[in-house]
Amino acid sequence: AQSVAQPEDQVNVAEGNPLTVKCTYSVSGNPYLFWYVQYPNRGLQFLLKYITGDNLVKGSYGFEAEFNKSQTSFHLKKPSALVSDSALYFCAVRDRDTGFQKLVFGTGTRLLVSP
Amino acid sequence: DVKVTQSSRYLVKRTGEKVFLECVQDMDHENMFWYRQDPGLGLRLIYFSYDVKMKEKGDIPEGYSVSREKKERFSLILESASTNQTSMYLCASSFRGFSNQPQHFGDGTRLSIL
């Protein structure tokens, strides 16, 4: 069965500092991995995805994520945080080899960027 | 850009009522999904559909049903609403053929059952 863990309920960072939001996953086959962001009273917006190839994936709004197969992790990063990055972030995984279309989401990490 | 539209942003209903949540997408996506979002639990899949008139149970289908009569529209039905169904409901859609494609979400319906 697929699963995703986001070990931190909240991450606090000062504006201008680098940020990391952690995600680890478990699938029986090879993963497709996704990050989404949710602003207050809105749906989820797609940020980036890992399919195959380069382990460093670049996405929207200056975010990137690093796929690490040995550690089964897909941490979201940004070199310099903005106050406007404050939101709820979700990691999600899909098992590439089973062919199912279903995504499994983590419980979410709230990012708070202080001025 | 993909547009997924949920008919109501906020909805208040009473216990025992039959409740309909509507979702429409404009990108000819085969797959459509209904999730509920609760604090600390993330998103949980209620039902999904990969074609017209097709449906599959997700992780928490009890108390819900769905209808997909047209490709662009996917309805979630609460047969007899209960207070534990108070939640944020999110609809999503995606292409069927490529499982590496992201799902696209609507803005959600915040449903309160009194």
Side-chain angles (χ1 to χ4, degrees):
Chain A
Q2 307 162 185
S3 67
V4 172
Q6 293 182 243
E8 302 154 316
D9 290 336
Q10 183 162 313
V11 170
N12 298 304
V13 64
E15 189 174 33
N17 284 357
L19 70 88
T20 299
V21 181
K22 294 180 181 177
C23 171
T24 58
Y25 67 90
S26 174
V27 296
S28 55
N30 291 297
Y32 291 133
L33 292 154
F34 302 81
W35 275 103
Y36 288 82
V37 60
Q38 185 181 34
Y39 298 102
N41 298 316
R42 300 298 300 274
L44 275 65
Q45 294 179 29
F46 168 70
L47 274 180
L48 52 79
K49 66 181 178 183
Y50 171 80
I51 303 172
T52 187
D54 196 347
N55 290 341
L56 186 63
V57 178
K58 294 190 183 296
S60 306
Y61 313 122
F63 283 93
E64 57 191 26
E66 186 169 11
F67 173 67
N68 187 317
K69 187 170 184 177
S70 63
Q71 297 185 4
T72 61
S73 67
F74 189 55
H75 301 332
L76 182 70
K77 300 181 180 186
K78 189 173 182 182
S80 179
L82 299 172
V83 172
S84 57
D85 292 330
S86 298
L88 189 56
Y89 291 81
F90 288 96
C91 181
V93 67
R94 178 183 291 139
D95 189 332
R96 182 171 61 180
D97 298 329
T98 64
F100 292 151
Q101 302 295 308
K102 197 172 88 165
L103 272 180
V104 173
F105 287 84
T107 53
T109 298
R110 188 165 301 281
L111 175 66
L112 185 60
V113 182
S114 54
Chain B
D1 263 2
V2 175
K3 186 76 172 173
V4 179
T5 304
Q6 296 184 229
S7 55
S8 304
R9 293 296 304 276
Y10 301 93
L11 208 52
V12 180
K13 296 291 182 181
R14 297 209 173 274
T15 303
E17 280 192 70
K18 191 169 186 176
V19 181
F20 293 86
L21 303 183
E22 306 287 344
C23 175
V24 177
Q25 50 94 5
D26 67 357
M27 279 301 292
D28 204 33
H29 285 165
E30 292 85 4
N31 294 336
M32 295 190 76
F33 306 83
W34 275 107
Y35 296 89
R36 64 177 283 176
Q37 181 182 6
D38 299 288
L41 297 177
L43 274 71
R44 293 179 291 168
L45 183 64
I46 305 172
Y47 267 97
F48 65 102
S49 169
Y50 53 86
D51 205 346
V52 175
K53 297 192 186 295
M54 305 300 289
K55 61 183 180 183
E56 295 282 344
K57 291 181 179 179
D59 300 317
I60 52 164
E62 296 79 19
Y64 303 94
S65 63
V66 290
S67 172
R68 188 143 181 225
E69 296 296 320
K70 294 185 177 181
K71 190 175 186 179
E72 67 270 19
R73 186 179 296 270
F74 192 35
S75 302
L76 180 69
I77 304 157
L78 284 66
E79 298 291 344
S80 178
S82 64
T83 55
N84 62 12
Q85 293 178 309
T86 291
S87 186
M88 170 73 111
Y89 289 87
L90 293 167
C91 175
S93 70
S94 70
F95 285 114
R96 180 180 180 186
F98 304 97
S99 61
N100 61 10
Q101 293 302 305
Q103 293 180 11
H104 298 267
F105 285 81
D107 280 339
T109 296
R110 191 166 293 280
L111 176 63
S112 296
I113 307 296
L114 304 179

